[in-house]
Every structure is written in structure tokens, then in C-alpha cells.
Amino acid sequence: MSLTMLPLILLLRSHLIEEVTYTSSGMRHSGHYDLSQTGHLRDLSIPTILCFKNINELIILNLSYLQTENQLKAEKSNMTTITEFVLLGFSDIPNGQWILFGIFLVIYLTVLMCNSIIILITRIDPGLQTPMYFFLNNFSFLEICYVTATVPRMLMDLLTQKGNISLVACATQMCFVLMFGASECLLLTVMAYDRYVAICNPLHYPLVMNHKVCVQLAIASWVIGVPVGIGHICQIFSLPFCGSNRINHFFCDLPPVLKLACGDTFPKEIAVYIAAVLVLMVPFLLIVVSYGKIIANIVKISSASGRGKAFSTCSSHLIVVVLFYGTATITYLQPKSDHSEGTGKVISLFYTIFIPTLNPIIYTLRNKDIMMALRKLSKLLR
């Protein structure tokens, strides 16, 4: 069949290619069209010349573009079909699910009971109506909130042996964990400042740390955590998620969720890293400065009993700071490439469950005032 001229209209990558003309002996095509495989439209005002020996070559070219188009559509479909994640939790220990459920249930109830007792005695005991115990009251309530953001969901997954969680539920859980975590960092800093004023400037302590100032510092610690949590969520969940939806963790923590994001995640990772440095390291440096001045002041005290008494008032807080910041720093400031999922899960267990369990014990056993208040409370209950 001999054709002198034949018009063709091709639709490649959803862009209409202008009219094509060719001859049977050899084809010469000139037109304004898009051959980009990147999805970006070229300047259609620039003419492009292509030569084809016969119509088969043109058909093959068209088919290759159609295949590319289908491939891209499939990838886009994969990116948009993820509507939920699957928390793997402790699925690698299938025979120990009920044992873990019992252990974590006991731990959760212990955290609730111990922190609730501290809140109660710091409210009702006249001898504990000081700024230090006011902040301890807030800290105990914050610990209850922090643990409640993760443990009930984990207990439900262990009980049902299903870890399905929607994107909205995952984002909500992560928001509360980050929000309460940031508030805890700030509250620990406020407690360090309180100890600094009490030990280094005792004469002005009642004036500097009056009730109004204490309330303002506590509110600031709670409120500042809110934009931190929401900001991180906006950064993470604005990314597309494709491929696997399985999170090797027992709750929606930031590092494992970020690993599932597609596309160029580097700018988001940098933003998250900078925010983590500000939230973790700035309060930590303030705590270090406060304790540096506290220690320098304690050393100047002549009597050994005076030094022991001064140090005992802040030793419990110092232990809690080391435990909390040690595990949180490893989790959120460790480079992504060096972050083992198994190790991250174990560390997360420490700062979300075990440390909140230890905190009431640390404050109770190392504080004579709280021990006396507990004895009074036990006598009243008899």
C-alpha cells in the first residue's frame, strides 16, 4: 500500500501530539509536542524533528509511551491506596502475646496508681504546698497522659493480635506523643530552674517562685508542646506513603513512620531533625547550666550535712533527667541510617513505659517529705 500523506493524532502521556504527516518511503515529522517522560510539559513552541522508516516504528514508540503511562498510573495508585498502617508491635514473639499483655497491663496500672497517689498527696498535704511539689504534681499528671497515649493502644493490639491503625489515628497518636514529650522536656527544665533558685538564691526564692510565676511556667510548658506536636504531624503526613504500610513498632513513632514515606523526604527529615534539636537540646542545655551552678554552690557549703541536704533535694530530678534525655536523644537525634528498628523499639519501651514507671518510685524513695506524707495518708486510710 502506497500512501503519500497520512495524518495521525497520537495521545502520549495524556498530552495531545499535533498532526503528524509522513510518506511510505520514509517519514519526516515536524511538530510541537511533548516527549518528556518526567511528567513536565516541554515548551511547545520549539519544533522537534523525528524520522521514522515506516509506520511500525511509530506504533512501537506509541506503545512504549502507553506502557510508561500505565506504569506511572499504577505507581500513583499505590501511593494513594494506603489508608491505614499495620503496627507489627511484638508479632515476632507470637507465643508470648498474652504474657506481654499481662506485663504491660500491670505496668500501666502501676503508673496510673503511683502517679495518682503523688498527685493526691501533693494536693492535700499542707507540708507539700511548695513550688517543687507543685511542679511534681504537674509532672506526674503529664506522665499519666504520656503513657496513656501509647499503652492502651498497644494492649488492644496484643489482645486482638491485630495492629491495623488508620492514618488519622496514627497521626493523632504521634501528635499526642510528641506533644507530651515536648511538654515533659520543658517541665523538667522548669523544675531544674526551681532547684537552681532554691539552692543558689534561697533568700529570694519565695519572691521569685511565687504561685503566679509557678502557674505561668507550668501553663507555658503544657502549651508550647502543642505546636511542636502539630508541626511535626504536618511535616510527616504531608508526604505521600507508598509501598509497604507495615510499621515495625508498637506505636506510631516518628522515625519508623518517616521510613515509609516516598519521594524526596530529605527536606522534611532536616526540618524534623532541627525541631528535635531545638525541643530536646535547648532545654537540656538549660538544665546543664542550672545544675552546673547548683553543684558549684553546693561545693561551697562548709558542712557535709548541708551539702547532703542540698544535693538530696535535686538528686531525684537529676536521675529522671538523665534517664529521659538519654533515651529520647538516641531515638530522635540518631542518624536515620544508623537507626535499627529492633533497637529503636527497645529504647522506645524504656522512655514510654519503664521510665514513667520508675519516676514515681525515684521521687518517693529519695524524698523524705513524700515518704512522711505517704505514712500520714496510710494512717488516715486505716
Side-chain angles (χ1 to χ4, degrees):
M1 178 178 178
S2 176
L3 298 175
T4 55
M5 300 287 286
L6 177 66
L8 290 176
I9 303 254
L10 296 178
L11 188 64
L12 300 181
R13 290 185 53 73
S14 301
H15 300 303
L16 188 63
I17 294 181
E18 292 189 4
E19 191 173 90
V20 181
T21 60
Y22 67 94
T23 63
S24 58
S25 58
M27 174 188 164
R28 232 182 135 66
H29 162 72
S30 65
H32 307 273
Y33 62 97
D34 177 27
L35 283 179
S36 170
Q37 295 188 24
T38 62
H40 301 288
L41 205 62
R42 288 185 182 175
D43 186 359
L44 297 183
S45 65
I46 301 174
T48 308
I49 307 297
L50 285 181
C51 293
F52 297 93
K53 292 180 181 178
N54 51 53
I55 192 164
N56 291 332
E57 288 189 4
L58 187 60
I59 293 170
I60 291 170
L61 177 66
N62 189 26
L63 287 174
S64 68
Y65 273 104
L66 290 174
Q67 287 172 353
T68 305
E69 178 70 14
N70 291 334
Q71 226 173 16
L72 290 169
K73 283 181 179 177
E75 288 177 6
K76 187 177 180 182
S77 175
N78 286 339
M79 290 167 60
T80 56
T81 51
I82 293 181
T83 58
E84 66 175 14
F85 292 121
V86 178
L87 294 168
L88 298 181
F90 303 96
S91 57
D92 52 338
I93 318 173
N95 297 326
Q97 299 289 301
W98 287 103
I99 297 173
L100 290 173
F101 175 81
I103 292 171
F104 291 132
L105 179 61
V106 170
I107 289 174
Y108 180 58
L109 293 176
T110 302
V111 171
L112 292 181
M113 183 181 68
C114 292
N115 283 287
S116 297
I117 290 172
I118 289 177
I119 292 170
L120 178 63
I121 61 175
T122 52
R123 287 276 186 180
I124 64 174
D125 193 282
L128 301 181
Q129 305 306 307
T130 62
M132 182 175 75
Y133 296 110
F134 171 79
F135 293 127
L136 181 58
N137 182 299
N138 277 267
F139 186 74
S140 296
F141 182 65
L142 183 57
E143 289 284 59
I144 291 174
C145 296
Y146 190 60
V147 174
T148 302
T150 57
V151 177
R153 172 78 206 193
M154 181 182 65
L155 291 173
M156 185 183 74
D157 291 342
L158 287 170
L159 188 64
T160 61
Q161 297 189 9
K162 294 178 182 178
N164 299 65
I165 183 170
S166 67
L167 289 179
V168 174
C170 184
T172 303
Q173 186 184 51
M174 186 188 294
C175 182
F176 279 115
V177 170
L178 295 174
M179 184 174 69
F180 293 139
S183 296
E184 190 160 333
C185 291
L186 296 169
L187 194 56
L188 286 171
T189 307
V190 170
M191 293 170 78
Y193 175 70
D194 171 70
R195 291 299 83 211
Y196 160 72
V197 176
I199 294 172
C200 300
N201 199 4
L203 296 178
H204 295 90
Y205 180 68
L207 180 65
V208 174
M209 299 301 293
N210 60 65
H211 183 70
K212 183 180 178 181
V213 172
C214 291
V215 171
Q216 289 173 343
L217 288 172
I219 291 173
S221 299
W222 282 91
V223 172
I224 293 174
V226 175
V228 172
I230 295 174
H232 276 82
I233 293 308
C234 292
Q235 289 285 336
I236 299 301
F237 285 87
S238 63
L239 292 167
F241 292 96
C242 57
S244 175
N245 67 338
R246 299 162 74 82
I247 302 174
N248 189 13
H249 216 290
F250 57 90
F251 74 98
C252 286
D253 202 5
L254 197 152
V257 172
L258 188 57
K259 284 184 179 181
L260 301 182
C262 299
D264 185 13
T265 62
F266 184 73
K268 302 289 186 183
E269 288 178 32
I270 292 298
V272 168
Y273 189 81
I274 291 171
V277 168
L278 292 174
V279 172
L280 284 172
M281 296 313 296
V282 172
F284 180 71
L285 290 175
L286 292 173
I287 291 172
V288 170
V289 171
S290 297
Y291 273 104
K293 293 185 177 182
I294 288 170
I295 293 169
N297 198 297
I298 290 175
V299 171
K300 293 177 183 178
I301 298 174
S302 56
S303 65
S305 60
R307 287 196 298 269
K309 185 179 179 181
F311 188 73
S312 66
T313 61
C314 56
S315 59
S316 301
H317 178 258
L318 190 58
I319 293 170
V320 171
V321 167
V322 171
L323 290 173
F324 178 80
Y325 272 95
T327 53
T329 301
I330 293 171
T331 301
Y332 294 107
L333 297 184
Q334 187 179 8
K336 186 179 177 181
S337 57
D338 299 336
H339 201 281
S340 166
E341 291 182 345
T343 305
K345 196 188 298 185
V346 173
I347 294 171
S348 295
L349 273 175
F350 272 93
Y351 74 82
T352 57
I353 298 175
F354 294 129
I355 291 176
T357 309
L358 293 173
N359 287 346
I361 299 170
I362 293 169
Y363 277 110
T364 302
L365 295 179
R366 299 188 63 85
N367 191 300
K368 292 179 181 178
D369 293 334
I370 290 182
M371 291 297 292
M372 288 177 62
L374 284 173
R375 290 192 191 99
K376 290 179 185 177
L377 182 63
S378 63
K379 287 178 182 179
L380 289 172
L381 296 174
R382 285 177 185 175

